[in-house]
């Protein structure tokens, strides 16, 4: 799986958009970009994923550059409850007996302040 | 809707003891996996299963055994606990979708088992 690079930490004011970048310059054509977050003492929570098109759901938006070498997770209106570690992961799609495992790096610690 | 349930939530063991961490999911997911998370580190894959009767090793399998006799359950066994196995353990599951692109479905995680080995 391709390796990802994320900033160690970021701050964001409550109510503002949080933009979390991720570099994955060695991504392959069949690898998806996934974002998970982990709030203290809880299990990782799925946020969003995409292959090459921008994606949006009720939690966030995912912007993937045209060359797919980087992406940005956008939380449009951050709240205090969004304070967490955010993981950007690239993952081969699972198929047959191939398990599309997730490889977690260090992630970005996002702190949302009042 | 329980999702992924892990038991126990906390456990303290003595070196050399054995125990089984339980994981159950009620979503009829084919894929299940076990991760461990050490302080300040990301999650590392221990073992995984792509269906009942099929298991394989992840990146840190030593000291752990798994079995998958049913779709719902995927227990993790520590045969002889060591202090290096002190960690938080997470179980995850995801569906398998048949298709040319395979499954890109997200994984659902349990709330973890916090294990301390003295």
């Amino acid at each position: 799986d391709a390796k990802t690079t994320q900033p160690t930490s970021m701050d964001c004011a409550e109510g503002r958009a949080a933009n979390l970048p991720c570099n994955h310059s060695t991504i392959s054509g069949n690898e998806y970009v996934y974002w998970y977050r982990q709030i203290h003492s809880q299990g990782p929570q799925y946020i969003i994923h995409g292959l090459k098109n921008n994606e949006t759901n009720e939690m966030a938006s995912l912007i993937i550059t045209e060359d797919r070498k980087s992406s940005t997770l956008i939380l449009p209106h951050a709240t205090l409850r969004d304070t967490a570690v955010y993981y950007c992961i690239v993952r081969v799609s699972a198929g047959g007996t191939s398990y599309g495992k997730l490889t977690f790096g260090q992630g970005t610690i996002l702190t949302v302040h009042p | 809707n329980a999702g992924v349930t892990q038991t126990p939530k906390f456990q303290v063991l003595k070196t050399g003891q054995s125990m089984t961490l339980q994981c159950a999911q009620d979503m009829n997911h084919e894929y299940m996996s076990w991760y461990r998370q050490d302080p300040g580190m990301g999650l590392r894959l221990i073992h995984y299963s792509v269906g009942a009767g099929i298991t394989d090793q992840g990146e840190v399998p030593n000291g752990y055994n798994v079995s998958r006799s049913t779709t719902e359950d995927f227990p993790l066994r520590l045969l002889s606990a060591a202090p290096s196995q002190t960690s938080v353990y997470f179980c995850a599951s995801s569906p398998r979708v048949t298709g040319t692109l395979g499954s890109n479905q997200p994984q659902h995680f349990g709330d973890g088992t916090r294990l301390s080995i003295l």
Side-chain angles (χ1 to χ4, degrees):
Chain A
D1 291 344
K3 184 176 179 180
T4 62
T5 304
Q6 299 178 251
T8 301
S9 64
M10 295 182 65
D11 288 339
C12 178
E14 188 176 21
R16 304 296 294 269
N19 298 289
L20 290 82
C22 179
N23 286 321
H24 32 79
S25 59
T26 60
I27 192 170
S28 300
N30 62 347
E31 289 182 314
Y32 286 76
V33 179
Y34 286 77
W35 283 85
Y36 284 76
R37 72 180 182 184
Q38 189 172 21
I39 298 170
H40 183 62
S41 299
Q42 296 182 17
Q45 177 189 24
Y46 165 78
I47 301 173
I48 198 167
H49 75 284
L51 183 61
K52 55 183 178 181
N53 298 320
N54 298 339
E55 303 287 345
T56 297
N57 62 19
E58 65 277 5
M59 290 183 67
S61 295
L62 173 61
I63 308 299
I64 303 174
T65 57
E66 191 169 345
D67 63 7
R68 301 208 326 123
K69 293 184 177 182
S70 65
S71 60
T72 301
L73 177 74
I74 301 172
L75 307 178
H77 305 287
T79 70
L80 299 178
R81 288 178 294 180
D82 292 322
T83 293
V85 180
Y86 287 77
Y87 296 99
C88 169
I89 302 164
V90 292
R91 174 196 182 199
V92 175
S93 176
T97 57
S98 171
Y99 174 74
K101 66 179 182 179
L102 297 173
T103 300
F104 286 79
Q106 297 294 315
T108 296
I109 301 171
L110 174 68
T111 303
V112 181
H113 51 85
Chain B
N1 187 7
V4 178
T5 303
Q6 292 185 238
T7 56
K9 295 187 184 304
F10 302 93
Q11 184 69 49
V12 178
L13 292 177
K14 294 182 179 179
T15 297
Q17 286 185 313
S18 62
M19 87 160 290
T20 299
L21 280 61
Q22 302 291 343
C23 176
Q25 52 91 8
D26 61 359
M27 298 172 282
N28 201 32
H29 286 172
E30 287 87 350
Y31 294 134
M32 295 188 75
S33 53
W34 278 101
Y35 294 83
R36 62 177 286 175
Q37 185 174 33
D38 300 309
M41 298 182 67
L43 280 73
R44 293 182 293 170
L45 182 65
I46 305 172
H47 285 285
Y48 64 93
S49 170
V50 299
I54 305 170
T55 63
D56 207 343
Q57 297 180 349
E59 55 184 315
V60 288
N62 293 339
Y64 307 95
N65 278 357
V66 293
S67 61
R68 185 94 180 272
S69 57
T70 67
T71 299
E72 295 78 19
D73 300 299
F74 191 43
L76 178 72
R77 280 182 286 275
L78 282 70
L79 301 178
S80 178
S84 61
Q85 294 178 304
T86 293
S87 189
V88 181
Y89 291 84
F90 291 101
C91 178
S93 74
S94 62
R96 174 180 168 182
V97 178
T98 300
T100 57
L101 295 179
S103 172
N104 60 4
Q105 298 300 304
Q107 296 189 17
H108 302 260
F109 285 82
D111 286 334
T113 293
R114 284 147 186 83
L115 181 62
S116 293
I117 300 168
L118 307 177

